[in-house]
Amino acid sequence: MSAPPALFDRQLLARRLDRAADGFAQAQFLRDRSVEDLIDTLSAINRQFDLALDMGARDGSFGRALTGTPVEGKIGLLIEGELSPRLSARQGGTARLVMDEEALPFGDDTLNLVVNALGLHSVNDLPGVLVQVRRALKPDGLFIGSLFGGETLKELRGCLMDAEIEVRGGYGPRIAPYAESPDLIELLKRTGFNMPVVDSDRVVVTYEHPLRLMADLRAMGESNILHQRPRKGLNRAILEKASTLYFERFADAEGRIPATFELITLSGWKAHDSQQKPLRPGSARMRLADALGVQEGKI
């Protein structure tokens, strides 16, 4: 089978993350939100994870956030794997590894837990990454990850497109396409995970100006890394027009503009004999009508 098309320039992503390393902590409020959700999920799981991987660990915020939580005692050794060497150097853990999420350097049945906070939306082959994660997990191992969903930056996307069409007579992709929740539940099943769960949360952040939003995106390392990105940058005329459209369409009563971010969290377990299995069709010992206490009739 041929490899999927490469949408993202991963080498450019590493350079952008390196560039953002010095101020990364000041603009990672969305990642902090995702890390908090991961820890809340793990807090409710009564399980020990002797060897865990933070895949796409960035500056190690997940590892630091574990301190003082119920999850801290559940994780033995946490490996912090990160694409950016400069961000990796800022991690506080004892097991740091510069690595690409698209090529996990682990053997089969090695890890008990793999987490990822807001990094999966920039991999070229998400099914392939999930298959690698499942293979690296031990039986009954857990994967929890998060990524931006389809509603992310919908306001900015439309304004930039319309502004570039008006100024240049055409437009190129400035914001990456993002996955949709219904597709991800099926993807987890197709890549071999048991008991898949997908949750979506929308976060709306307000800004005084669209340029402040764009500055935050650069500080997060989330600027455009599409291979097919336009080689012409956004000139002053396009930015001014996009800003005008943004205010006209979305400004609130106080003159601030919203930016929508959809955070999707997905999780699944590697198969193990101890896990619950669905009943065989026709094996039920009670009719549904009897279980519900209702009268059965014809439709």
Side-chain angles (χ1 to χ4, degrees):
M1 295 179 63
S2 60
L7 294 176
F8 304 107
D9 186 337
R10 300 281 297 176
Q11 293 182 345
L12 177 59
L13 173 62
R15 294 197 298 272
R16 295 274 172 84
L17 290 169
D18 277 347
R19 184 183 66 185
D22 289 342
F24 192 78
Q26 300 173 11
Q28 63 167 337
F29 52 91
L30 293 171
R31 179 177 168 82
D32 288 343
R33 172 75 170 265
S34 180
V35 165
E36 183 179 338
D37 290 343
L38 296 180
I39 292 177
D40 284 346
T41 300
L42 289 169
S43 296
I45 298 173
N46 187 20
R47 186 71 59 85
Q48 292 294 126
F49 301 101
D50 295 335
L51 184 58
L53 169 67
D54 183 2
M55 181 178 68
R58 301 300 185 251
D59 66 345
S61 56
F62 174 76
R64 289 193 297 274
L66 292 175
T67 303
T69 71
V71 182
E72 183 180 18
K74 297 179 181 181
I75 294 179
L77 177 64
L78 176 67
I79 301 171
E80 295 176 314
E82 169 53 38
L83 180 65
S84 160
R86 291 196 65 198
L87 281 174
S88 180
R90 293 174 178 272
Q91 296 164 2
T94 58
R96 300 192 301 272
L97 178 65
V98 176
M99 51 156 269
D100 192 334
E101 297 98 312
E102 294 188 341
L104 297 187
F106 300 96
D108 293 355
D109 304 329
T110 305
L111 306 168
N112 303 103
L113 171 70
V114 176
V115 300
N116 178 280
L118 287 183
L120 296 174
H121 53 275
S122 57
V123 299
N124 285 299
D125 181 12
L126 182 54
V129 170
L130 292 178
V131 168
Q132 290 185 64
V133 169
R134 178 181 54 77
R135 288 175 176 171
L137 285 170
K138 293 181 179 181
D140 209 26
L142 173 63
F143 164 70
I144 310 177
S146 61
L147 68 167
F148 288 123
E151 293 291 301
T152 299
L153 297 175
K154 60 182 181 180
E155 304 92 349
L156 180 62
R157 186 192 306 271
C159 292
L160 283 177
M161 181 180 70
D162 292 345
E164 191 167 10
I165 289 174
E166 180 170 329
V167 173
R168 286 182 173 156
Y171 74 96
R174 301 284 177 183
I175 298 175
Y178 297 114
E180 302 289 344
S181 295
D183 299 329
L184 292 172
I185 193 78
E186 292 303 318
L187 181 57
L188 285 169
K189 293 177 182 178
R190 286 196 294 110
T191 51
F193 284 95
N194 282 1
M195 297 178 284
V197 176
V198 173
D199 292 314
S200 176
D201 185 20
R202 285 175 176 80
V203 178
V204 178
V205 184
T206 62
Y207 288 88
E208 62 183 15
H209 197 280
L211 294 181
R212 289 300 311 150
L213 164 61
M214 295 182 195
D216 266 1
L217 294 175
R218 286 192 296 271
M220 296 174 192
E222 293 292 347
S223 49
N224 193 355
I225 59 165
L226 289 167
H227 272 298
Q228 299 301 319
R229 63 191 180 278
R231 292 308 182 246
K232 286 186 176 180
L234 294 171
N235 59 30
R236 181 173 180 177
I238 294 173
L239 289 173
E240 287 181 349
K241 183 60 181 179
S243 296
T244 298
L245 293 174
Y246 214 133
F247 281 113
E248 289 176 350
R249 295 174 181 179
F250 303 109
D252 61 19
E254 298 178 353
R256 295 180 65 86
I257 53 100
T260 299
F261 296 90
E262 183 182 9
L263 311 184
I264 299 178
T265 302
L266 55 158
S267 64
W269 296 80
K270 185 166 180 176
H272 187 265
D273 290 341
S274 66
Q275 293 168 359
Q276 292 181 341
K277 298 177 178 61
L279 294 173
R280 299 189 314 275
S283 64
R285 299 182 179 182
M286 179 182 291
R287 297 185 312 137
L288 179 60
D290 294 337
L292 297 176
V294 300
Q295 187 71 32
E296 184 176 12
K298 295 182 179 180
I299 297 177

